[in-house]
Amino acid sequence: MTGRNLIILLILLVVTIKGYGQQPRLLVTDARTSNPIAFAHVVFESAANQSIGAMTDINGYVDNPSREPMIIMISYVGYSPLSDTVYPGESRTILLQPVVYNIDEVVVTGQYTPQRVDKSIYKVKIIGSRQIDLKAANNLSDLMAGELNIRASHDGALGSSITLQGLGGEHIKYLIDGVPVIGRMNGNIDLTQLNLHNVEHIEVIEGPMSVIYGSNALAGVINIITRKDRPSSYSLYADSYYESVGIYNFSLEGAMKKKRWSGTLGGARNFFEGYSLADTSRTKRWKPKEQYYADGGVQYSYGELTARLTTSYFNELLLDRGNPVKPYYESAFDSYFYTNRFTTNLDLNTRLFKDRYLSVLASQAYYGRIKNTYFKDLTTLEETLIPDNEVQDTSRFNQYLMRATFSKSTEKSPFNYQLGVDLNYENGSGKRILDQKQAIGDYAAFLSVKLQPAKTILFQPGVRYSYNTKYSAPLVYSLNLKYDLFESINLRASYSKGFRAPSLKELYLEFVDVNHNVRGNENLKAENSQNINLSFGYQHVKPTYDWGFDVSVFYNDIKNSITLAAIDWEEGLYTYVNLSNMITKGYQVSFNNRIYPWLQTRFGVGTTGRNQFVDQQSDRGFTYSTDFVSSANYLWQKTGITTSVYYKYQGEYPEVFIGPNSQVLSTTMSAYHTLDITLSRGFWSNRLNAQVGAKNLFNNTNIAISGDTGGGGIHSGGGTSAPVGWGRTFTANISLALNKF
């Protein structure tokens, strides 16, 4: 053998040995930019349900350990999760699709089975966890107040609430993982009690959903989806938040996964010192409060079956300190409000046949509110419980839910359907409830059908029949249409009929504190409504540049609309009454733009008109309010710092209310601007995130109210201004996420 041949043989031998010894590797990249994705979560799962966890390195590579065909699951914040099959010895590039404008997000609210938001027949707005973090939102009120055509209102004792399409209170259905939230006070859920520490995303459907979700869904549905199954074997999440007004929040959550079992356990503590614009007394307009949250869940998955048992607990102490009593100012009356909410849910989902699905949701919820009033000696700080029963109160409510649906859902089939039952029962007890105990039940069956005569057209008629133990419920029906003119252009339209029976609180509860004296009305009539919604959307998607817009209009006509009316302004006494009609109508136009991956902007404008009248003679015509919102998120790639700016203009807000002797009165809240800015950056491979910011930079506190203000209002306490914020504040937030694969 010649020397030349020997050298060639040695080279071939070295290359062969190197080839056999090289570990096969997978490269995970951004499908738009082809840039590698560092530190993405990767799970390899064998046919025997044995899992191997890993993470891509700084260059986007991960070793392929498979010795047999395995399922690979890859997830990373800002990208759609991917599932694929890899084979032994395989090396290749895997593309992750970035989530742009949430068009690839999977939604569950009102759907037959989970599906992409752009495929849903409903117009669903997604607020993802990334948006929640960038906005530094602590609770649902903080988050929703900045959205288009949503108006937030605040009460020092009852907390915060919103209106959607000009409707609020009992007309909005609040859900957590599909379960209604219990505990409305004065018709509203206090949104400051709905924490966001374990939220994956929030789904908002504007417009009536009465066929699917029954009562309280005339204006729309807001469904909070919590974090559940995680790809890592063990994970730990910690978060702390500070705001200069005196807010100190902390949360901690852990999760684990082993074969078919997974579980989560978490908790949070929120503290607020209270605030008044002129802090010259013990009494604060924004009451101090301390809140505790605890939640946990266990999930079992086997084949097509998923079963999950969850429980959550909420505890709040709100302190209402009274002004010192004349003549010596050495004593005061202080009220303590204790709120408890405890919920347990069981959720079962399975595929029965090829394309048949069964879902069962059962829930039991408890809500209790205790008011204790003490006489406090300000010289010794001793407190004595006042023996007068009129200033003490305890109310308790229990809610039971069983919801089951059976669906046929085949993606390319021209005919799919869903049928279900929705059983709801609620009881309440307390000395301020008529006869000290009342109950109401609502038991319904519903059916909806998806008809797709062509690839671009989808019809969904639906019908719901209910039996209500207090009221005769009519047949409720709806018709939804989705028409895809092109792949990037779609049109949605809906017509629906709605029904809402008065709640136990509206019928029987007497609610009294220092600022409120509200009596239920057992003679209330049920509400009936007709609703029309239209929307047109366009989305232009390119590899690194996207833009799109949405235009929507709505019209709601509610007969026998229930509202608060003043009986006696001197005594501050209110009760619930039926109006002849309440009509809301309006539009919104929104535009979005993204230069991937460093800039995202949005802006929109919307107008809402409302007309409320006791009878045809009291019709004052429509009053209108206009909102404008804009936001920008800019990533400075060289430093990794994300700057987020959120601006909202809230135009003059006219409101009609009912005074003594059925007088129709009106007020107008002045227009104002809000502006929030945050700076965020990740450290330690994005395991640690730090954020600083400034909220309410225009320093809004109390906004002037003009018009028929002589008698005041249920939330204004007789004043000529309404609280909208506690002025300019500065924030700091640190969060930590640890995962073991």
Side-chain angles (χ1 to χ4, degrees), residues 320-613:
D320 187 0
R321 295 189 180 96
N323 286 317
V325 178
K326 296 178 181 180
Y328 302 111
Y329 303 99
E330 294 179 343
S331 61
F333 294 96
D334 291 350
S335 294
Y336 294 79
F337 295 87
Y338 301 90
T339 300
N340 289 278
R341 183 185 288 114
F342 185 83
T343 306
T344 302
N345 306 324
L346 176 63
D347 194 359
L348 301 172
N349 293 277
T350 187
R351 185 202 301 259
L352 295 179
F353 312 108
K354 178 182 178 182
D355 53 4
R356 267 67 170 182
Y357 301 87
L358 177 66
S359 176
V360 179
L361 176 62
S363 172
Q364 188 274 331
Y366 166 82
Y367 175 85
R369 183 177 171 94
I370 299 173
K371 174 191 175 185
N372 288 332
T373 302
Y374 293 85
F375 175 81
K376 186 162 188 173
D377 188 324
L378 299 179
T379 61
T380 64
L381 300 183
E382 292 183 356
E383 294 182 327
T384 304
L385 186 67
I386 297 176
D388 184 1
N389 288 334
E390 291 301 315
V391 295
Q392 316 295 345
D393 184 35
T394 299
S395 298
R396 299 182 179 90
F397 295 87
N398 289 280
Q399 174 183 275
Y400 302 89
L401 164 72
M402 202 287 285
R403 178 182 174 87
T405 61
F406 177 80
S407 307
K408 173 190 177 289
S409 182
T410 307
E411 185 175 352
K412 296 183 180 180
S413 173
F415 175 77
N416 291 296
Y417 62 84
Q418 181 183 74
L419 55 91
V421 294
D422 192 4
L423 312 178
N424 294 269
Y425 176 82
E426 183 178 359
N427 63 46
S429 61
K431 66 181 182 181
R432 296 193 184 277
I433 294 178
L434 183 65
D435 298 329
Q436 299 190 13
K437 188 173 184 179
Q438 294 289 337
I440 190 169
D442 190 89
Y443 313 109
F446 59 91
L447 169 68
S448 69
V449 177
K450 283 185 179 179
L451 304 173
Q452 193 164 11
K455 183 179 179 180
T456 58
I457 301 177
L458 179 62
F459 296 93
Q460 184 173 314
V463 63
R464 181 186 183 97
Y465 174 76
S466 301
Y467 170 73
N468 189 282
T469 57
K470 298 288 186 182
Y471 292 88
S472 176
L475 195 68
V476 174
Y477 47 85
S478 66
L479 175 63
N480 289 73
L481 165 69
K482 181 173 183 283
Y483 177 38
D484 297 320
L485 285 77
F486 301 99
E487 185 176 354
S488 58
I489 301 176
N490 60 71
L491 174 69
R492 290 180 172 90
S494 68
Y495 168 80
S496 62
K497 183 176 174 62
F499 168 80
R500 186 180 80 83
S503 68
L504 284 179
K505 297 179 179 67
E506 290 171 323
L507 290 169
Y508 306 115
L509 180 66
E510 181 183 358
F511 177 70
V512 180
D513 67 12
V514 68
N515 295 316
H516 310 85
N517 188 355
V518 182
R519 294 180 182 176
N521 180 1
E522 60 180 311
N523 297 314
L524 289 174
K525 300 176 183 177
E527 295 180 341
N528 290 274
S529 69
Q530 297 188 74
N531 318 82
I532 298 174
N533 282 262
L534 298 172
S535 69
F536 175 83
Y538 172 77
Q539 193 69 43
H540 181 80
V541 180
K542 291 294 183 180
T544 58
Y545 179 72
D546 309 278
W547 68 275
F549 65 88
D550 284 287
V551 180
S552 60
V553 296
F554 64 87
Y555 179 88
N556 301 306
D557 184 356
I558 303 176
K559 308 291 185 184
N560 299 321
S561 174
I562 299 172
T563 189
L564 276 172
I567 300 176
D568 188 329
W569 273 332
E570 292 185 1
E571 298 294 329
L573 180 60
Y574 291 77
T575 191
Y576 294 97
V577 298
N578 287 109
L579 300 180
S580 173
N581 276 79
M582 179 174 182
I583 300 174
T584 69
K585 62 181 180 180
Y587 74 91
Q588 60 182 31
V589 179
S590 60
F591 175 84
N592 56 65
N593 179 349
R594 180 166 182 168
I595 303 174
Y596 185 80
W598 55 274
L599 178 65
Q600 181 176 356
T601 59
R602 301 169 186 254
F603 62 84
V605 61
T607 295
T608 299
R610 298 191 301 166
N611 190 3
Q612 302 166 259
F613 44 94

Side-chain angles (χ1 to χ4, degrees), residues 177 197-200 225-237 252-258 260-267 293-300 307-313 345 739:
D177 292 328
H197 75 278
N198 65 339
V199 172
E200 181 179 279
I225 310 298
T226 61
R227 290 193 292 258
K228 301 178 182 68
D229 199 16
R230 295 171 176 81
S232 54
S233 299
Y234 300 95
S235 59
L236 180 69
Y237 302 86
L252 183 66
E253 183 184 12
M256 65 172 294
K257 181 178 182 180
K258 188 172 184 180
R260 299 187 179 100
W261 292 91
S262 62
T264 61
L265 182 65
Y293 302 81
D295 52 76
V298 60
Q299 179 172 302
Y300 175 78
R308 181 170 179 82
L309 178 66
T310 59
T311 185
S312 63
Y313 174 73
N345 306 324
N739 295 277

Side-chain angles (χ1 to χ4, degrees), residues 176-246:
I176 298 179
D177 292 328
V179 176
V181 179
I182 190 175
R184 293 177 184 266
M185 299 302 297
N186 225 23
N188 293 297
I189 295 291
D190 179 4
L191 302 188
T192 65
Q193 295 180 352
L194 302 184
N195 202 21
L196 303 178
H197 75 278
N198 65 339
V199 172
E200 181 179 279
H201 68 272
I202 297 172
E203 300 175 3
V204 181
I205 301 181
E206 297 186 32
M209 294 288 290
S210 297
V211 167
I212 305 299
Y213 292 106
S215 196
N216 304 110
L218 298 185
V221 172
I222 298 177
N223 193 6
I224 300 173
I225 310 298
T226 61
R227 290 193 292 258
K228 301 178 182 68
D229 199 16
R230 295 171 176 81
S232 54
S233 299
Y234 300 95
S235 59
L236 180 69
Y237 302 86
D239 186 89
S240 62
Y241 176 87
Y242 164 77
E243 190 168 342
S244 57
V245 72

